[in-house]
Amino acid sequence: ENLTGTAGDDSFVFNAGSSLTGAASGGAGADSFVLAGNASVLLSLNGDGGADSFDLGGFTLTGGIAGGSESDT
């Protein structure tokens, strides 16, 4: 299962106890990714274009993070 955002700004929030067994890809906009509590993502978080933010408090990430070509936090 994969999540794909739009060309605009996207927000991906994974609440405590949630999981994703694929990738989350934001697209061209300024995207935000929040993993809260014991959320888990098994493949990757991809910001693609735009200035992206990643909040990985209390997470499990088995994979990679790709911020894209702009300034990411």
Side-chain angles (χ1 to χ4, degrees):
E1 93 192 71
N2 296 311
L3 299 175
T4 304
T6 66
D9 298 348
D10 302 301
S11 178
F12 298 90
V13 177
F14 300 91
N15 292 318
S18 63
S19 64
L20 175 66
T21 57
S25 298
D31 307 305
S32 68
F33 299 84
V34 177
L35 278 71
N38 61 347
S40 65
V41 175
L42 295 179
L43 290 181
S44 62
L45 302 175
N46 304 309
D48 298 329
D52 307 304
S53 67
F54 301 88
D55 179 354
L56 306 177
F59 73 98
T60 300
L61 177 63
T62 305
I65 296 175
S69 59
E70 297 208 20
S71 177
D72 304 306
T73 59

